[in-house]
Amino acid sequence: KQEELDRKIRERTVELTKANQALQIEIRERAWIEEALRESEEKYRSLVENMYDIVLRLDQNYSITFLNNAWEVVTGYSNTESRGKSLLDFVSPESRGTLISLFKRMNEKKEERLSCEFMLQTAVGTPRWIKAQLALSYSDEGYGIEGILHDFTEIKEARDALQKSKE
C-alpha cells in the first residue's frame, strides 16, 4: 500500500510539475504580449498626440469624445472643455449647414467616408479654415465619426490674395 501511494504521489508530482512549467511559460508569454501591446499603444499615442493635424472622434450625436493636442493649438480651446460638446458648437455659423448635411449623409449610411472644408471659430473668435477627412466608425456603443482636420487657413488666404491680385 505504501509503495502504491508513493508511486501515485510521484506521478502526481510529475503531472503538477509539468502543469506548473506550462503555466510559467504561459505567464511569460502573456507578460511579453502585454509589454508589446503597451509599447504599441505608446507609439500610437505619441504619433497621434504629436501630429500637427487635429485627430478627433465624435459619437453619434456629434459630441466630441476624443481630441489630440493639435485641437488646443489650432482652436485655443482646451481638450477638457471641448470634450462632450458638439463639434458644431465650434463651427462658424456659415459652415454649420454644410457640416450638418454631410453628417446626415453619413448617418443615413449613404457615404462612409467624406471630405469637406469648413470654418472653425477659435477661442478668440477668429475663423480657421479646415479640410476634414471623416469616416464612420463602429463600436459596441454604436457608430460614430472619426477624422483628421487640417488647418489650411494660411494657404486659403494666400490663394485668395493671389486671385485678388489677378483681378
Side-chain angles (χ1 to χ4, degrees):
K1 277 190 162 183
Q2 183 61 36
E3 287 177 15
E4 180 67 21
L5 185 59
D6 288 344
R7 186 184 58 75
K8 286 183 179 181
I9 290 173
R10 280 192 304 274
E11 287 174 1
R12 187 67 180 138
T13 301
V14 169
E15 290 173 11
L16 290 172
T17 301
K18 287 180 182 178
N20 189 29
Q21 289 170 344
L23 285 172
Q24 293 293 332
I25 291 169
E26 188 175 329
I27 288 168
R28 282 193 298 275
E29 287 175 352
R30 280 193 188 200
W32 179 82
I33 290 169
E34 287 174 5
E35 180 61 26
L37 180 60
R38 196 172 11 264
E39 287 175 10
S40 176
E41 287 173 348
E42 286 172 15
K43 287 178 186 175
Y44 167 76
R45 187 178 304 109
S46 176
L47 174 69
V48 169
E49 289 303 329
N50 292 312
M51 288 181 69
Y52 289 112
D53 289 338
I54 297 167
V55 177
L56 62 73
R57 185 175 298 127
L58 309 174
D59 66 15
Q60 53 201 11
N61 299 314
Y62 319 123
S63 295
I64 299 167
T65 60
F66 175 84
L67 292 165
N68 69 340
N69 293 332
W71 175 262
E72 291 186 35
V73 174
V74 172
T75 68
Y77 292 104
S78 78
N79 288 357
T80 306
E81 72 179 302
S82 302
R83 261 187 244 107
K85 293 184 179 176
S86 172
L87 177 62
L88 297 171
D89 294 342
F90 302 97
V91 174
S92 296
E94 54 268 30
S95 292
R96 281 192 190 119
T98 301
L99 218 49
I100 289 169
S101 68
L102 290 174
F103 286 161
K104 183 177 179 187
R105 285 181 17 216
M106 291 181 90
N107 282 342
E108 294 169 351
K109 312 290 189 284
K110 291 182 180 169
E111 299 196 44
E112 299 234 342
R113 296 178 178 274
L114 287 171
S115 297
C116 65
E117 294 178 2
F118 63 91
M119 280 192 297
L120 278 179
Q121 286 294 128
T122 65
V124 295
T126 56
R128 300 301 295 178
W129 278 98
I130 301 296
K131 185 173 292 228
Q133 302 290 322
L134 304 172
L136 280 177
S137 65
Y138 301 93
S139 69
D140 294 337
E141 293 88 37
Y143 71 91
I145 297 173
E146 297 175 335
I148 295 177
L149 309 182
H150 176 73
D151 180 359
F152 74 107
T153 304
E154 286 77 18
I155 294 169
K156 179 158 179 38
E157 289 172 350
R159 277 191 209 147
D160 291 351
L162 181 63
Q163 185 66 31
K164 211 174 211 182
S165 72
K166 288 181 178 180
E167 292 174 357

